[in-house]
Amino acid sequence: PDTPLQQEWQGDHGLNETGTMKKRTLEMTFHERQASGFHVQLKAALAVAEKEEFAKTWKLAHAPEHRIDTEEEFEKLCKRTYGSMIAAWRQCLDLDANGKLTFGEFCK
């Protein structure tokens, strides 16, 4: 172990990253000693980074291809797909032909 003067010189005041006092190795439990190792902490940090990167990649890969934000874009999509708004209404939107469009029909 370093002397108090060496610890002061190195900036080690007995505090860990969270600002609490460090335990000496002999005061730690087996699991605390295992978890405090450099390689264990490195693996944990890499796992977190990989998880975040995977989440970003998944979000990009599963983003909707076409996003309709305005009425004009919706109308263009209907006309492009069905030829006219009347055809879109009859073939796609009002499936039960009752003259009404319910939220459930719209979501299909």
Side-chain angles (χ1 to χ4, degrees):
D2 295 331
T3 65
L5 185 59
Q6 289 172 326
Q7 290 175 352
E8 184 70 32
W9 178 257
Q10 294 169 358
D12 184 10
H13 303 288
L15 300 176
N16 61 16
E17 296 81 22
T18 61
T20 58
M21 293 297 291
K22 290 182 185 177
K23 284 186 177 180
R24 294 189 330 193
T25 306
L26 295 176
E27 296 171 343
M28 293 182 179
T29 66
F30 172 77
H31 295 292
E32 289 173 333
R33 286 193 307 272
Q34 294 298 313
S36 69
F38 174 75
H39 292 290
V40 173
Q41 292 178 356
L42 182 62
K43 277 186 176 182
L46 284 173
V48 168
E50 286 176 356
K51 184 177 179 180
E52 290 172 355
E53 187 64 30
F54 177 79
K56 286 180 191 175
T57 304
W58 191 89
K59 216 180 246 188
L60 287 174
H62 292 85
E65 292 178 21
H66 301 288
R67 185 173 177 175
I68 307 298
D69 290 331
T70 63
E71 292 179 34
E72 291 80 19
E73 290 176 352
F74 179 72
E75 189 173 337
K76 284 181 186 178
L77 175 67
C78 288
K79 288 180 179 179
R80 185 174 59 241
T81 306
Y82 297 99
S84 70
M85 286 301 293
I86 302 293
W89 177 261
R90 290 180 180 157
Q91 295 173 19
C92 177
L93 297 173
D94 187 23
L95 296 175
D96 57 2
N98 66 351
K100 298 178 183 177
L101 177 63
T102 64
F103 183 72
E105 287 176 322
F106 182 74
C107 290
K108 289 180 184 179

